[in-house]
Amino acid sequence: MSRPADPTLRDRLLHAATEVFAESGFAGATMASIGRRAGVTKGGVYFHFRGKEELFFAVFDSRRTALRELLSTPRREDQQGAPALRAFLRDYLDFHFRDEDASRLLTVLVTELRDRFTTELREDAALEQRLLRQRIRELLARGNQDGTLFSPDPALAAFILAGAVRGVLDQWLSAPSDAEPFCRAAMLAEELVVRYATGALRALGDERGVDDAGADFRPPF
């Protein structure tokens, strides 16, 4: 009588593969090493995945799905724009900081698997960036309406903020020892939002020396 299939095995394989690909890259990873990390034989890995490339993209897709959910889940409608934007940026950064191995998969993809970086994947990457800018723009507009933020051009501000966030992540992945002292999601979110904040939050930023170059700039309300 055959043993029943392990319902947790696929998830264990994805977790193990994330670690192995992050540590060894695509070329250095093997199905056997991933199986050992997951506690199964190489045959157990092949039971779920036909090959290393299929497993890599399954791992990549799993992370992409989780990130897409974060980007697509609306924040509470009763929350004012400034705290909502701050919470969103914190959550986005924390998503990456919490799982460095998964974040490194993109580096593996664009370096070792560039020829496999299909049109579909490029479109997905572009969609992720659009969703990030869209969510930031929506929250900036909410802040403009409720008076907690001021941005004359929310679309431009969203483009700048999204670029700043991605720049932080690029530095963190490429030079972690240099970036680590600054990679605190809540602190970074606060620094990014205070430049558009009004009222008490803006005053706090001024006291801390944030945006000194623009100290004379104030919103018209």
Side-chain angles (χ1 to χ4, degrees):
M1 182 175 176
S2 61
R3 296 175 58 185
D6 182 352
T8 68
L9 178 54
R10 191 176 192 279
D11 287 340
R12 294 206 325 267
L13 288 170
L14 291 174
H15 181 73
T18 300
E19 294 179 343
V20 174
F21 284 127
E23 293 168 5
S24 306
F26 185 81
T30 66
M31 298 293 267
S33 64
I34 292 168
R36 284 195 299 271
R37 186 74 61 97
V40 298
T41 65
K42 183 167 68 172
V45 185
Y46 278 107
F47 180 79
H48 285 276
F49 302 98
R50 290 173 295 183
K52 189 167 65 170
E53 184 172 322
E54 181 179 301
L55 177 52
F56 177 87
F57 283 107
V59 170
F60 190 76
D61 190 59
S62 176
R63 178 183 177 278
R64 185 172 49 188
T65 298
L67 182 57
R68 191 71 52 79
E69 182 177 349
L70 170 65
L71 289 169
S72 302
T73 301
R75 305 211 68 83
R76 288 169 33 195
E77 289 301 321
D78 62 340
Q79 193 174 29
Q80 290 185 313
L85 178 58
R86 187 169 57 242
F88 171 71
L89 294 176
R90 179 201 63 211
D91 291 349
Y92 184 84
L93 287 164
D94 193 51
F95 177 91
H96 294 81
F97 292 157
R98 281 199 321 267
D99 197 350
E100 181 177 356
D101 286 344
S103 294
R104 290 193 178 282
L105 295 178
L106 183 59
T107 302
V108 174
L109 179 64
V110 299
T111 54
E112 296 188 59
L113 301 176
R114 184 178 298 275
D115 60 329
R116 299 171 177 86
F117 201 64
T118 63
T119 299
E120 180 181 357
L121 284 173
R122 288 191 178 91
E123 290 175 351
D124 282 344
L127 176 59
E128 178 185 322
Q129 293 302 307
R130 283 196 296 271
L131 287 172
L132 176 60
R133 293 193 300 270
Q134 176 182 327
R135 180 51 48 85
I136 293 172
R137 185 175 68 248
E138 290 171 352
L139 295 175
L140 284 167
R142 184 191 299 185
N144 275 349
Q145 292 175 349
D146 63 34
T148 59
L149 296 169
F150 176 71
S151 172
D153 188 342
L156 176 59
F159 181 82
I160 293 170
L161 285 173
V165 168
R166 294 306 311 176
V168 165
L169 296 175
D170 287 345
Q171 291 182 76
W172 172 65
L173 288 171
S174 61
S177 60
D178 293 340
E180 184 61 31
F182 306 102
C183 291
R184 303 291 181 268
M187 177 192 74
L188 289 168
E190 181 75 27
E191 292 292 329
L192 290 167
V193 174
V194 76
R195 287 158 172 74
Y196 298 94
T198 62
L201 184 59
R202 178 68 186 214
L204 176 63
D206 290 342
E207 289 174 7
R208 292 162 51 210
V210 174
D211 203 14
D212 288 337
D216 293 332
F217 173 79
R218 290 294 183 274
F221 49 81

